[in-house]
Amino acid sequence: MSKELIEKAKEKFAAIINEQLKRVEALKKEAEDIDYSAVSPIIIGVCFGDGIGEVISKHAEGVLKHLLKDEVASGKVKFKEIAGLTIENRAKHKKAIPDDVLKELKACHVILKGPTTTPQAGGKWPNIESANVAMRRHLDLFANVRPVRIPKEDIDWCFFRENTEGAYILGSKGFDVSDDISIDFKVITEQGAERIIRMAFEYAKNNNIDRVTVVTKSNVVKTTDGRFSKVAFRIAKEYPKIKLDEWYIDIMTAKLLDPARRRDFKVIVLPNLYGDILTDEAAQLQGGVGTAGSANIGRRWSMFEAIHGSAPRMVEEGRDKFADPSSMIRASAMLLRHIGYPEKAERVNLALDRCSGNEKAKITGRETGITGEEYTKYILSQVD
Ligand code: IPM
Ligand code: MG
């Protein structure tokens, strides 16, 4: 019996190793970053997602279209709405991303994506993989860049979360070895760690920031986190003007709450799962997850989204029209910067900054505040 189980487990493990060996070979031959100034038209795909996603991504699309109207008129930019990334359609095809949707996504350059529902075991939907995780893997969106700013406290953090490795990607490849034993895997590769860490250092260099913080649990998770940390210290040698320090994830979550220290962090680079957790905490400090946008950057494609989920409860309670579209509008600003319009991006960010704390633009997620549509109108009145 146990021999049989071991043989079966070995087969599964061998398949995973094979896949990762191939992946690493592909990473070694990775293409250059796309140069958008040479691309025409730049195709922006828009997926609306589920729950509040439908409403808030429509608002964000409106803001983007407004800022890019000249570029659309001249043919430099083209919008393409992509249907089918809804939980109903994904459940019907039993796929995280149905094949025809994936094909359409690949025909774009950048994607604005509304939150999508991630099923869990035992829930009302088939337990398919998260659409976010699948898209990050299929389009090789290795860098999850999540800025968080609290101007009144002089906090300006930029998180670089590794997006294609760690506990996530192999999370859906784990298996029950026996009736009693479940095993998941976590992978960090030299190339995968290097590309995200290098991106964090380049960002620090280009923004005159003299400190990068790597967050791991390398004292306990010695092999994978150990590699991530080693790669960080190797890359740091190429940037003598930037100091690298390492923090463990547990104390780091505490330090983000320490007013005496937290503003000193600037650029933070970390493996997938730690990045997921720490960025929710950071966004909450900024004013809630509804305020934070997120960029998923790859060499060929990039995707921009909210940091939060589809909030089905808000829809059930009929509050979707009061959902805060700021996260998706921030994501749109990141998209604008990414495709070469930093000045337009800045206008959107300034309009959002002006709205936060402004009584006229008070959005609370319920009747006590204005609707997402009214809020978006207010933003549009501020961007020009
Ligand atoms: C995020 C989300 C996703 C993640 C979920 C929806 C799979 O929490 O983008 O942070 O865990 O990556
Ligand atoms: Mg998350």
Side-chain angles (χ1 to χ4, degrees):
M1 178 66 178
S2 72
K3 210 167 162 196
E4 223 173 83
L5 291 179
I6 288 172
E7 280 313 310
K8 249 182 143 170
K10 270 194 198 160
E11 264 171 41
K12 296 226 186 214
F13 193 44
I16 287 170
I17 306 257
N18 250 320
E19 200 181 281
Q20 292 307 310
L21 285 170
K22 277 198 205 124
R23 211 183 126 248
V24 161
E25 283 316 306
L27 281 180
K28 287 184 185 162
K29 299 191 211 105
E30 213 177 41
E32 299 271 290
D33 284 338
I34 190 163
D35 170 10
Y36 292 102
S37 64
V39 175
S40 193
I42 301 173
I43 303 173
I44 303 178
V46 184
C47 303
F48 298 104
D50 319 302
I52 60 165
E54 272 190 76
V55 195
I56 61 174
S57 23
K58 265 260 170 280
H59 296 324
E61 185 193 28
V63 173
L64 260 188
K65 283 193 164 157
H66 177 79
L67 279 138
L68 289 169
K69 57 179 180 296
D70 294 344
E71 289 71 16
V72 169
S74 74
K76 171 72 185 170
V77 169
K78 215 170 138 181
F79 280 84
K80 196 172 147 213
E81 291 189 358
I82 301 174
L85 204 69
T86 57
I87 185 67
E88 291 81 9
N89 193 45
R90 294 163 53 221
K92 188 173 117 200
H93 289 89
K94 293 228 164 37
K95 281 212 155 162
I97 304 178
D99 296 343
D100 53 336
V101 177
L102 185 60
K103 207 168 144 208
E104 285 192 73
L105 291 171
K106 286 191 170 172
C108 301
H109 297 98
V110 287
I111 296 146
L112 181 71
K113 177 191 147 296
T116 45
T117 298
T118 302
Q120 64 186 109
K124 72 169 180 175
W125 299 108
N127 195 15
I128 46 176
E129 191 188 19
S130 140
N132 299 37
V133 175
M135 201 183 295
R136 291 166 187 166
R137 187 181 62 246
H138 283 301
L139 306 183
D140 201 25
L141 310 176
F142 66 90
N144 192 186
V145 184
R146 298 184 155 179
V148 167
R149 284 173 40 221
I150 310 173
K152 67 173 186 299
E153 273 197 60
D154 200 21
I155 287 174
D156 193 350
W157 297 323
C158 195
F159 293 88
F160 289 80
R161 166 192 181 193
E162 203 295 318
N163 221 8
T164 48
E165 305 198 335
Y168 265 58
I169 301 314
L170 296 176
S172 25
K173 300 240 166 72
F175 54 88
D176 293 325
V177 173
S178 72
D179 287 346
D180 304 308
I181 304 170
S182 301
I183 294 199
D184 270 322
F185 298 94
K186 167 169 169 172
V187 170
I188 301 280
T189 68
E190 188 76 11
Q191 291 72 16
E194 175 160 345
R195 60 183 180 170
I196 184 77
I197 290 164
R198 201 171 276 290
M199 191 186 267
F201 272 96
E202 281 297 306
Y203 174 87
K205 187 176 100 184
N206 295 334
N207 291 280
N208 293 320
I209 296 169
D210 60 2
R211 179 178 182 194
V212 170
T213 302
V214 60
V215 177
T216 67
K217 187 76 189 182
S218 65
N219 54 338
V220 176
V221 189
K222 292 188 192 287
T223 314
T224 44
D225 283 9
R227 183 184 287 273
F228 199 87
S229 150
K230 255 197 305 210
V231 173
F233 282 97
R234 172 167 68 74
I235 303 286
K237 291 202 192 109
E238 296 175 34
Y239 298 83
K241 292 197 188 122
I242 302 173
K243 181 182 171 306
L244 174 72
D245 54 342
E246 179 172 17
W247 288 72
Y248 299 134
I249 181 67
D250 49 351
I251 187 65
M252 188 69 186
T253 56
K255 286 299 151 196
L256 284 198
L257 302 180
D258 179 355
R261 225 179 229 288
R262 61 184 176 190
R263 75 167 63 87
D264 299 338
F265 295 111
K266 299 284 176 210
V267 175
I268 299 127
V269 60
L270 64 187
N272 210 332
L273 180 58
Y274 307 143
D276 179 43
I277 298 166
L278 206 64
T279 54
D280 265 14
E281 185 192 12
Q284 186 64 36
L285 293 169
Q286 174 183 260
V289 289
T291 62
S294 162
N296 296 264
I297 313 282
R299 304 274 184 224
R300 164 66 180 79
W301 294 279
S302 294
M303 179 266 277
F304 300 80
E305 61 179 347
I307 148 169
H308 56 81
S310 58
R313 203 171 296 138
M314 281 191 87
V315 182
E316 278 157 30
E317 293 171 7
R319 291 190 286 119
D320 40 343
K321 65 171 187 287
F322 296 106
D324 186 349
S326 302
S327 54
M328 289 298 297
I329 299 176
R330 286 262 181 227
S332 308
M334 295 177 90
L335 186 154
L336 286 168
R337 180 177 297 280
H338 188 71
I339 61 173
Y341 301 105
E343 177 269 335
K344 292 182 198 288
E346 208 37 42
R347 272 158 55 200
V348 176
N349 279 328
L350 284 175
L352 281 162
D353 288 349
R354 243 177 268 139
C355 285
S356 85
N358 181 331
E359 272 306 304
K360 266 199 277 176
K362 196 165 158 210
I363 188 150
T364 60
R366 47 190 78 239
E367 280 94 351
T368 50
I370 61 173
T371 63
E373 191 177 343
E374 289 162 338
Y375 183 82
T376 309
K377 278 208 185 114
Y378 192 78
I379 297 277
L380 285 175
S381 73
Q382 300 286 314
V383 286
D384 292 324

